[in-house]
Amino acid sequence: MRLRSPGCGWGVVVVSAAALLLLVALGLALALILTQIKGQAVGDQLLPTSPPNLLSAGDGESHTLPTIPSNRSQQDSTAPPQPTKIPLPETRCGGVLTDPEGSFSSPNHPGSYPPNSLCVWVIRVPPPSLVQIHVSFLTVEGPSPCLFDWLEVQEQTEQSSMVTRFCGNVAPPTVNTNSSTVWVTFRSDSSIAGTGFSAQYRAVQPGHKSCSREEFMCDRGRCLLPVSVCDGHPNCHDQTDEANCSHKHKECGGQKTGPYGYLSSPNHPKPYPHQQLCIWHISVEEGHVITLSFRNFSLEIQDVCEFDYVEVHDSTDTGAGRVLGRFCGATFPPDLTSSGPHMTVVFVADEGVADSGFNATYQAVSVLDRTCGPSQFACSTGECLQPQWLCDGWNDCPDGADEQGCGNSTYPPFTSSCEFIEVEMCRGLSYNLTSFPNIWLSIADQREAATLLRQYRVLMELACFEPLQKLVCGMFLPQCSPQGGVLQPCRSVCSAAERQCSQALDLFSFSWPFNCHLLPDSQDPMECSLP
């Protein structure tokens, strides 16, 4: 026993130490678990779990909402910062809006919004008034179901909560809510960005809901875009949007009369079909001019507007009068005004890429009611010209009044709007003067035209290259007219080139790039050119 007792003593010590270490380890583990649970609870309290938590921002003015904090903000300020997995918003935006009407927009609008944006606006109007929201502009990364960037409207009533999300390049119809408090959220991810949105809101009485003039209202307050009416798919609970549809003109183009109206590409806001040629002839009463405004615009993006485009003519047809502009891509065209009571709008789409298209409204404006700014020049038709358009060698007024008396004018006199052709490929034509910018193809100068013409050099060995060269040069470097303006090639030039070259172009996988129907059908050298 005496020999074994020392060993037994050391055994007790070892067992006791092991038990103590085990208890310490269990205590540390338990403390760590409790700390994490507590930290998570604190973090959860800081995150807005429902819309009403956002109402603590104030009661009278617009306030900037704080960015959502992460759990590391609760750590000791002396501890080194830990990386966060979720990118925080880089731009402060949003707020509480309590005025009876107002506006708000995405950060930097009309510029591109920054990545990782999170903006929340709380719109509150005094009950029983309801919030009405009109999004006037929208270019947000899409498409539906809007998983990357989006604009979201949330309303909460006693019965339910409704969330509507928007993205893409088509501004939605007016939103009539059933609540006096609405939450609007704008969210962007870390990649592709657009120019965002701009929106207006106002307080309306429950019995006074409305839609904009071109929209259709159903279900006692729901607004639809014109394209959603008589499209074969009921969008309203009462199905009034599909009633009395026999009068709706299913084809694109046509005659437009009356003091105001609406036109859009086929299927808009869905992608337009291939191989389209739509021509709208707009006519209003004498003594009025026409103002055309684009509400949405997204066509195939291209360096030269020759595949899918919208072209606006200041006349009753495409073969007469000046061209107010040709437009493509996703940039909104400016408001366009005719010089008289007639305007023609042409939409062309080829067999390639299709986009969501466009919609536009037109308005008749009385010449007597139309006034020009102090620095503008007024034509006899009522059209207002910018100072730089005077005495520039172009007849912008139908009667040429903007080019008369230029010797004594206070505006810069016209020296010469024509310039000699310097592009080697287009020398030796029947004319040697051109003018830029090229409004039909959106080409700024001869340097840009020469760059674009390089793609046709591979066709120089073709037997039909000569007629093709005349057409291409006539389009890219149009003839400058001494009377002011430029002349497009005659339709016969395009038809001859297409007839001789279309089969040969197939060998090079070139589709015929021009629509000859859009060129003037004339042989008069005052109306078109014969390069």
Side-chain angles (χ1 to χ4, degrees):
M1 292 295 294
R2 286 195 298 269
L3 293 175
R4 295 177 57 190
S5 59
C8 291
W10 283 110
V12 171
V13 172
V14 171
V15 171
S16 300
L20 181 61
L21 290 175
L22 179 60
L23 289 175
V24 172
L26 290 175
L28 290 174
L30 180 61
L32 180 60
I33 293 173
L34 292 175
T35 301
Q36 290 179 344
I37 294 175
K38 182 179 179 181
Q40 182 176 358
V42 172
D44 290 342
Q45 292 176 359
L46 292 171
L47 294 174
T49 58
S50 61
N53 289 344
L54 296 173
L55 296 179
S56 60
D59 58 356
E61 300 178 357
S62 175
H63 300 272
T64 301
L65 296 180
T67 55
I68 299 176
S70 62
N71 288 344
R72 69 182 177 90
S73 62
Q74 302 298 313
Q75 297 175 354
D76 192 330
S77 59
T78 60
Q82 300 297 320
T84 178
K85 295 182 180 179
I86 302 176
L88 295 178
E90 299 178 359
T91 303
R92 298 175 67 85
C93 53
V96 178
L97 308 175
T98 59
D99 292 334
E101 61 181 30
S103 61
F104 55 99
S105 61
S106 54
N108 297 338
H109 182 77
S112 297
Y113 51 80
N116 303 321
S117 295
L118 175 60
C119 312
V120 179
W121 293 268
V122 182
I123 304 175
R124 294 189 300 181
V125 297
S129 296
L130 306 176
V131 177
Q132 181 188 77
I133 298 176
H134 177 69
V135 180
S136 55
F137 180 89
L138 181 74
T139 301
V140 174
E141 181 189 3
S144 181
C146 308
L147 300 177
F148 308 108
D149 301 354
W150 65 79
L151 176 67
E152 190 174 82
V153 178
Q154 179 177 358
E155 56 177 301
Q156 193 162 9
T157 62
E158 295 179 357
Q159 293 79 17
S160 62
S161 177
M162 179 178 295
V163 177
T164 308
R165 183 175 286 188
F166 308 107
C167 64
N169 297 317
V170 177
T174 303
V175 179
N176 287 305
T177 71
N178 294 307
S179 175
S180 58
T181 301
V182 173
W183 294 265
V184 181
T185 303
F186 174 68
R187 177 67 173 169
S188 68
D189 63 5
S190 59
S191 58
I192 302 171
T195 52
F197 76 94
S198 62
Q200 301 78 41
Y201 78 90
R202 63 173 183 148
V204 297
Q205 294 300 311
H208 293 80
K209 294 180 179 179
S210 62
C211 301
S212 63
R213 185 165 53 190
E214 66 269 14
E215 295 172 349
F216 178 84
M217 186 166 71
C218 62
D219 297 339
R220 294 181 297 177
R222 183 178 183 181
C223 301
L224 297 179
L225 295 175
V227 71
S228 300
V229 180
C230 295
D231 61 352
H233 304 283
N235 298 285
C236 304
H237 294 298
D238 57 16
Q239 298 191 6
T240 55
D241 58 313
E242 296 301 318
N244 303 317
C245 291
S246 59
H247 68 281
K248 184 171 181 181
H249 187 56
K250 292 294 184 180
E251 301 297 329
C252 66
Q255 300 288 334
K256 294 284 186 179
T257 58
Y260 59 86
Y262 173 92
L263 51 95
S264 67
S265 55
N267 293 343
H268 181 78
K270 299 176 182 177
Y272 46 80
H274 301 304
Q275 298 285 1
Q276 293 294 301
L277 173 61
C278 311
I279 303 177
W280 293 269
H281 302 280
I282 306 174
S283 298
V284 298
E285 292 183 355
E286 292 290 338
H288 292 72
V289 295
I290 302 168
T291 298
L292 181 70
S293 302
F294 289 87
R295 305 303 181 188
N296 293 293
F297 195 89
S298 184
L299 306 186
E300 177 186 359
I301 297 176
Q302 51 200 295
D303 294 329
V304 179
C305 297
E306 59 177 329
F307 305 124
D308 297 359
Y309 59 84
V310 172
E311 188 171 81
V312 183
H313 296 254
D314 186 19
S315 59
T316 57
D317 205 346
T318 58
R322 61 175 178 151
V323 178
L324 297 178
R326 178 183 285 194
F327 310 99
C328 61
T331 302
F332 271 52
D335 289 352
L336 303 173
T337 303
S338 66
S339 60
H342 303 287
M343 176 183 284
T344 301
V345 181
V346 179
F347 170 60
V348 173
D350 66 358
E351 71 282 357
V353 179
D355 212 317
S356 60
F358 71 95
N359 65 50
T361 59
Y362 73 86
Q363 175 78 43
V365 180
S366 173
V367 173
L368 298 178
D369 296 338
R370 194 161 183 256
T371 58
C372 299
S375 62
Q376 295 177 317
F377 179 86
C379 300
S380 59
T381 58
E383 183 178 7
C384 302
L385 302 182
Q386 299 300 326
Q388 61 267 28
W389 296 354
L390 304 182
C391 298
D392 63 350
W394 300 73
N395 290 327
D396 296 293
C397 294
D399 57 4
D402 58 307
E403 299 301 317
Q404 297 175 4
C406 292
N408 299 322
S409 173
T410 57
Y411 296 98
F414 162 63
T415 53
S416 174
S417 62
C418 299
E419 56 187 78
F420 285 103
I421 294 176
E422 300 178 359
V423 179
E424 182 179 357
M425 177 178 169
C426 296
R427 290 178 178 175
L429 303 176
S430 62
Y431 59 88
N432 60 0
L433 294 176
T434 186
S435 181
F436 283 87
N438 184 330
I439 61 174
W440 292 296
L441 303 184
S442 300
I443 303 176
D445 51 33
Q446 289 199 56
R447 183 185 299 274
E448 182 179 357
T451 302
L452 296 171
L453 284 170
R454 289 174 184 167
Q455 61 182 317
Y456 293 94
R457 290 185 178 274
V458 298
L459 308 177
M460 294 181 65
E461 300 300 324
L462 295 179
C464 67
F465 180 71
E466 184 176 351
L468 180 62
Q469 176 191 22
K470 292 180 179 180
L471 172 62
V472 171
C473 289
M475 293 291 294
F476 283 69
L477 288 88
Q479 179 180 353
C480 182
S481 171
Q483 288 75 28
V486 293
L487 299 176
Q488 290 179 299
C490 298
R491 186 181 301 179
S492 60
V493 177
C494 182
S495 300
E498 182 178 16
R499 185 171 57 253
Q500 299 179 52
C501 292
S502 58
Q503 292 184 351
L505 288 178
D506 291 339
L507 300 176
F508 288 84
S509 298
F510 271 78
S511 58
W512 184 249
F514 303 107
N515 190 332
C516 299
H517 181 77
L518 298 178
L519 296 175
D521 188 13
S522 173
Q523 298 294 315
D524 188 342
M526 299 298 293
E527 296 182 2
C528 57
S529 67
L530 296 168

